[in-house]
Amino acid sequence: MTEKQTIKSTIQADTWNRKNVVSVSQFTESAIDALFELTDRLKAMGRFQLRQWNPLSGYVLSNLFFEASTRSRISFASAFQYLGGSVDNTVGVVFSSISKGESLSDTIRVVQGYVDVIVLRHFAVGSARIAADNSTTPIINAGDGIGEHPTQALLDLYTIYNETKRLSDLTIAVVGDLQHGRTVHSLVHLMRLYTNIHIVAIAPNDLQLPADSVHTLQVSGIRVTQTDDFKVGIATADVIYMTRLQRERFQSESDYEQFEQLYILNRALTESVCKPDVVIMHPLPRTSEINPDVDALKQAAYFRQTDNGLYVRMALFLLVLLSPSELRNHLNTV
Ligand code: CP
């Protein structure tokens, strides 16, 4: 595909325009293709050229983060600012009027009147849906409890494509706390759009993928293997997606401690057990599940994954906030 054709297909993809981004179930393959084409273009421009472009000059983002975050909050904010927009950050319930008893829906009804887009991280499953139902300003879900993290899944998928050059015919081992891990929930469901996918879910029984998720995947034609055997599970994987135990989601510290340090990927294991071209990913933050001696291996993609997040989120803002003709005009100036 030539560069001109690439730009054309991106600006024809108006499926994102003014839409909320709440769940991966709303995405189509063609919408994702358009997002990734635009992401490639932004990445090729690089930060120096991007900061002189200003396509979102005058736009305002409200970053509402009611749960802890480093990557999502900062990459959403940086992406918006590199595109020329301004960001207002609310970090923690204590610094919002939710601490005075205001409901999420009232908060959103107010904030939507001040800004052009709202990124929301919240501790409750379904909070992004509630926000979207109370807003005419687009809502982007940056994680709703143990529910979903759809933009993480988009950047994960973009990374898988960049590293393997394909999105079909893949064995993906997801490892760790699959019960509580919203990034895993979103990623495995997003893979339903692609063919010949085998998900190997590696976790102790109590932390396995929810049964309804497994059923949904299987009905969609995805092969799912569930195991607690780490070595066997990762041996055939094209992609290993490690996750941490979600300490903050366990009922008690003793519930958490029984699983701590269950699966640890290190350099020796990678080199002795895994395919030589395996792609090792992690949504981060990590705790002990990937030994730092893996970081220098070419298979370690997790910091390339975080870098990709900046550009995927830039592309998302452009597609959500600009009409196809506005985006076309801006792209024609660079
Ligand atoms: N991957 C991710 O969501 O990281 P943060 O919690 O730091 O945003």
Side-chain angles (χ1 to χ4, degrees):
M1 190 177 279
T2 66
E3 191 170 296
K4 268 207 154 42
Q5 284 170 322
T6 302
I7 297 167
K8 189 160 177 269
S9 65
T10 296
I11 59 182
Q12 282 172 346
D14 59 355
T15 48
W16 296 99
N17 191 224
R18 307 293 311 162
K19 298 288 194 305
N20 302 300
V21 178
V22 172
S23 165
V24 294
S25 60
Q26 72 190 78
F27 302 152
T28 62
E29 198 177 339
S30 62
I32 289 173
D33 287 350
L35 180 79
F36 287 179
E37 285 170 17
L38 184 56
T39 304
D40 284 344
R41 188 165 159 84
L42 299 173
K43 219 174 153 181
M45 285 168 73
R47 285 194 261 175
F48 180 76
Q49 193 182 354
L50 281 165
R51 66 164 66 93
Q52 300 175 12
W53 187 30
N54 292 321
L56 295 186
S57 175
Y59 284 80
V60 180
L61 159 68
S62 173
N63 239 357
L64 292 179
F65 275 71
F66 298 126
E67 245 194 355
S69 169
T70 295
R71 274 143 294 276
S72 307
R73 181 173 56 80
I74 296 175
S75 64
F76 272 117
S78 300
F80 209 76
Q81 286 169 315
Y82 277 119
L83 296 172
S86 308
V87 181
D88 184 80
N89 281 297
T90 300
V91 180
V93 169
V94 72
F95 293 112
S96 85
S97 286
I98 288 183
S99 67
K100 303 175 198 164
E102 186 171 56
S103 66
L104 176 64
S105 55
D106 277 2
T107 298
I108 294 294
R109 276 182 199 164
V110 172
V111 175
Q112 59 142 9
Y114 299 156
V115 301
D116 300 293
V117 59
I118 297 170
V119 173
L120 175 68
R121 172 164 293 187
H122 195 278
F123 40 83
V125 176
S127 51
R129 182 72 266 157
I130 291 170
D133 290 344
N134 284 280
S135 180
T136 54
T137 292
I139 301 288
I140 298 178
N141 181 4
D144 60 331
I146 64 167
E148 280 214 46
H149 194 346
T151 66
Q152 177 73 45
L154 291 170
L155 76 90
D156 292 343
L157 192 70
Y158 182 79
T159 302
I160 291 172
Y161 183 71
N162 267 256
E163 300 286 328
T164 67
K165 306 300 172 209
R166 66 189 194 278
L167 288 174
S168 294
D169 308 316
L170 285 166
T171 296
I172 302 175
V174 290
V175 186
D177 186 351
L178 310 182
Q179 179 77 32
H180 303 114
R182 59 191 169 204
T183 68
V184 169
H185 299 165
S186 287
L187 178 61
V188 295
H189 284 279
L190 193 53
M191 296 316 298
R192 290 188 293 159
L193 292 174
Y194 303 98
T195 54
N196 196 19
I197 301 297
H198 180 194
I199 300 290
V200 182
I202 306 171
N205 268 347
D206 288 347
L207 299 180
Q208 263 293 349
L209 280 178
D212 56 341
S213 285
V214 174
H215 178 71
T216 306
L217 295 175
Q218 288 172 332
V219 166
S220 307
I222 290 189
R223 185 176 156 213
V224 181
T225 302
Q226 293 177 282
T227 179
D228 62 0
D229 190 325
F230 186 44
K231 277 191 191 174
V232 170
I234 61 176
T236 57
D238 301 303
V239 175
I240 300 174
Y241 191 92
M242 298 293 293
T243 65
R244 74 184 168 97
L245 290 184
Q246 307 251 317
R247 188 179 203 143
E248 67 276 25
R249 316 275 185 211
F250 283 80
Q251 297 285 341
S252 69
E253 195 60 17
S254 61
D255 282 355
Y256 165 76
E257 280 166 3
Q258 64 177 312
F259 299 115
E260 204 183 356
Q261 306 232 319
L262 198 60
Y263 304 123
I264 297 179
L265 188 64
N266 59 27
R267 182 180 184 137
L269 198 58
T270 303
E271 292 179 340
S272 62
V273 171
C274 300
K275 287 183 168 181
D277 59 349
V278 70
V279 177
I280 301 170
M281 296 175 59
H282 194 307
L284 303 181
R286 72 173 145 181
T287 49
S288 58
E289 61 281 352
I290 300 182
N291 190 296
D293 71 0
V294 176
D295 295 1
L297 299 181
K298 68 175 176 16
Q299 295 95 327
Y302 30 93
F303 292 118
R304 296 192 287 277
Q305 185 182 352
T306 52
D307 286 350
N308 288 334
L310 180 73
Y311 296 99
V312 169
R313 287 174 171 140
M314 279 186 201
L316 188 65
F317 281 133
L318 290 173
L319 288 168
V320 168
L321 290 175
L322 300 180
S323 69
S325 63
E326 286 172 323
L327 181 54
R328 183 192 308 118
N329 290 340
H330 280 295
L331 287 168
N332 284 338
T333 66
V334 290

